[in-house]
């Protein structure tokens, strides 16, 4: 299949584009920053230059593809407008053409604090402020499913592996300040997933006949944030030290994003397992922390 991925130079999108290419699909990736096209070429992904601000520039390339994947995000005040613009262009590239599929990246934070009992895709949404517009974006994507055009919303947990994304801050703070920094008391649990397992789910979802569904993407690890941070701190040579930042103080410094880091979540992904035969191959952050630290450091050296 021909595949078009937005955000193909990003943390999730680069793994997703590479997974499609590895699976033998002719894969195209949107690049906005000159120089980053080399990352795609190394993974046998064809770069298409453009931005979410100007989807007309890349829509023709997307129109030639039957799998349309949205992984781009810009963390600015334009963020949700850009999501809508990019998704609208992908919808126009896909709908009214039988056999096309759109995969849109959402996230488990839309469920809010779930407590310790596992929830699935049927749970009510309770998004914190930082992701408040996300449910409406997801609902729009699902409403486009039909007439031979399949749309799916994928909700990853906090993604780890390689450059690390959210988990990178534990390594970074442990390396710089001598303690892995955690927002809140750290007794909460994040729903998590390794990015290579996540990327494999996108490929399976595209290759399936599934449409009009939300798919959670999480592993079965149930470590607390403190346990993850201790493992990160040990891996980074900070003797397992962890520093707790009160949520209000973190919000003052980082904005509403910080409240998401203090959520306690248990999110089930059995729909992806049972309907798509998805297998999580990675066993969780804690055991892998030493090699995840090495991978994070190597990724920093590469981009320096
Ligand atoms: N990371 C996680 O743990 C996690 C968990 C759940 C859900 N998610 C969701 O997954 C999605 C992807 O997250 P991520 O962590 O992969 O983000 P990321 O690493 O920040 O990647 C963002 C990508 O979007 C591109 N981009 C940014 N602004 C753009 C613009 N104006 N036009 C075109 N491209 C633009 C970036 O290009 P450059 O390389 O040029 O900057 C990059 O390729 C987001 O919606 C996020 O909320 C992430």
């Amino acid at each position: 299949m021909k595949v078009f991925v937005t955000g193909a130079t990003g943390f999730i999108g680069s793994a997703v584009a590479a997974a499609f290419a590895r699976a033998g699909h002719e894969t195209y990736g949107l690049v906005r920053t000159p120089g980053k096209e080399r990352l795609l070429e190394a993974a046998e992904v064809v770069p298409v230059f453009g931005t979410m601000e100007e989807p007309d520039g890349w829509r023709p390339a997307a129109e030639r593809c039957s799998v349309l994947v949205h992984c781009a995000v810009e963390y600015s005040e334009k963020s949700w407008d850009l999501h809508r613009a990019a998704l609208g262009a992908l919808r126009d590239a896909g709908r009214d053409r039988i056999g096309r599929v759109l995969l849109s990246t959402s996230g488990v934070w839309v469920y809010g604090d779930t407590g310790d009992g596992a929830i699935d895709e049927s749970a009510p949404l309770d998004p914190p402020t930082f992701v408040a517009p996300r449910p409406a974006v997801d609902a729009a994507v699902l409403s486009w499913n039909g007439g031979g055009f399949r749309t799916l919303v994928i909700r990853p947990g906090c993604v780890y592996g390689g450059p690390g994304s959210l988990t990178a801050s534990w390594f970074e703070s442990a390396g710089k300040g001598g303690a892995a920094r955690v927002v809140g008391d750290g007794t909460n649990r994040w729903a998590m997933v390794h990015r290579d397992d996540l990327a494999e789910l996108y490929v399976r979802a595209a290759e399936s006949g599934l449409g009009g569904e939300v798919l959670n993407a999480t592993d079965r690890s149930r470590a607390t944030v403190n346990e993850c941070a201790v493992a990160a701190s040990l891996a980074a040579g900070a003797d397992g030290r962890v520093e707790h930042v009160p949520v209000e103080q973190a919000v003052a410094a980082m904005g509403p994003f910080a409240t998401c880091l203090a959520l306690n979540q248990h999110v089930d992904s059995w729909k992806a397992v049972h309907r798509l035969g998805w297998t999580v191959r990675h066993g969780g952050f804690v055991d892998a922390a030493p090699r995840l630290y090495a991978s994070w450091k190597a990724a920093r050296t590469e981009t320096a």
Side-chain angles (χ1 to χ4, degrees):
M1 293 189 283
K2 292 189 182 181
V3 181
F4 183 85
V5 182
T6 70
T9 56
F11 177 63
I12 294 177
S14 61
V16 166
F20 274 107
R22 257 197 326 272
H25 299 296
E26 188 176 316
T27 307
Y28 297 79
L30 187 64
V31 180
R32 70 156 173 179
T33 308
K36 289 197 177 180
E37 68 276 13
R38 273 171 295 175
L39 299 171
L40 274 62
E41 285 164 348
E44 300 177 22
V45 173
V46 183
V48 175
F49 286 93
T51 64
M52 287 194 280
E53 285 84 346
E54 292 179 7
D56 287 347
W58 48 265
R59 194 188 293 106
E63 278 169 359
R64 290 190 286 274
C65 295
S66 54
V67 180
L68 307 160
V69 189
H70 180 52
C71 293
V73 62
E74 183 177 299
Y75 294 109
S76 71
E77 66 292 344
K78 298 186 297 186
S79 186
W80 298 104
D81 287 339
L82 291 176
H83 274 307
R84 289 182 202 99
L87 283 165
L90 294 174
R91 173 204 58 208
D92 293 347
R95 75 173 165 195
D96 302 329
R97 294 179 172 91
I98 289 177
R100 301 213 167 182
V101 58
L102 167 60
L103 309 180
S104 178
T105 309
S106 173
V108 296
W109 285 347
V110 292
Y111 295 115
D113 200 295
T114 67
D116 288 329
I119 60 101
D120 66 12
E121 290 85 352
S122 64
L125 304 182
D126 185 17
T129 308
F130 183 66
V131 292
R134 179 84 91 188
V137 172
D138 291 354
V141 169
L142 294 174
S143 75
W144 304 332
N145 184 70
F149 181 41
R150 296 188 290 120
T151 64
L152 293 163
V153 169
I154 298 188
R155 293 199 176 132
C158 296
V159 188
Y160 69 92
S165 197
L166 297 172
T167 62
S169 70
W170 296 328
F171 293 138
E172 191 154 8
S173 51
K176 271 194 198 149
R181 202 170 305 128
V182 159
V183 173
D185 66 11
T187 57
N188 58 314
R189 293 177 171 86
W190 290 357
M192 298 182 81
V193 64
H194 191 284
R195 71 175 183 152
D196 290 342
D197 282 331
L198 176 63
E200 167 64 19
L201 176 61
Y202 281 74
V203 176
R204 277 183 184 260
E207 291 173 346
S208 76
L210 211 57
E213 299 274 354
V214 174
L215 294 166
N216 294 335
T218 58
D219 62 23
R220 305 294 292 167
S221 65
R222 294 288 295 138
T224 62
V225 168
N226 276 335
E227 287 162 345
C228 292
V230 166
S233 169
L234 286 169
D239 294 331
R241 280 187 292 272
V242 173
E243 177 196 343
H244 295 101
V245 181
V247 178
E248 312 71 52
Q249 193 181 317
V251 170
M254 303 156 74
F257 162 71
T259 60
C260 300
L261 303 177
L263 291 175
N264 186 36
Q265 294 200 300
H266 189 181
V267 178
D268 180 285
S269 294
W270 285 105
K271 196 201 276 189
V273 172
H274 291 295
R275 305 219 26 207
L276 295 175
W278 182 52
T279 310
V280 171
R281 295 171 197 276
H282 291 262
F285 180 88
V286 171
D287 287 348
R291 52 182 198 276
L292 292 168
Y293 174 68
S295 177
W296 168 76
K297 255 182 40 180
R300 275 162 59 101
T301 314
E302 257 172 47
T303 51

